[in-house]
Amino acid sequence: MGMNIAGAAYNFGYNTGDAGGHSRMESGSGGAVAGSYSYIDANGDRRTVQYSAGPGGYQASGDVGVDRRTAAAAAALAAMAPKAPVQAPVAPAAPWYNPVPVAPAFVSGPGGYMAKW
């Protein structure tokens, strides 16, 4: 592995070849970059991430979440956690309407007109 530069474009990479299994490759041109890196995590699993960066920001894919053993332990704990009881759905209550009875009122207005409400 090595490095090549040609104007605004470049590419480089390395591989340690040790027990850690570290490696990286990247290339870029015109404000955009793409590459990948890998390593051996604490559980002995190889993790590889592919990435790109440019005007739209940084985006990564691959092994970007928690490691497999942590995910398995979390799932086992979640399975042991108490669950809420399942309840039957409750039907909505019918609307309730209770008008207040009002006695009609007669009011004499100007000019002797009568109003009723």
Side-chain angles (χ1 to χ4, degrees):
M1 304 234 175
M3 180 174 215
N4 294 319
I5 300 174
Y10 72 92
N11 61 42
F12 77 91
Y14 68 85
N15 187 348
T16 61
D18 63 3
H22 299 91
S23 67
R24 181 173 175 190
M25 294 187 308
E26 182 176 292
S27 61
S29 175
V33 175
S36 68
Y37 62 90
S38 65
Y39 62 96
I40 305 298
D41 70 9
N43 298 316
D45 297 322
R46 176 175 290 280
R47 310 258 320 192
T48 302
V49 176
Q50 295 82 26
Y51 62 90
S52 64
Y58 177 83
Q59 298 175 357
S61 62
D63 292 323
V64 294
V66 298
D67 62 83
R68 286 175 239 168
R69 289 187 190 178
T70 301
L77 284 174
M80 293 187 309
K83 307 294 186 267
V86 177
Q87 296 181 355
V90 177
W96 182 74
Y97 180 70
N98 184 19
V100 176
V102 177
F106 294 95
V107 177
S108 176
Y113 293 105
M114 298 289 287
K116 177 182 176 185
W117 67 84

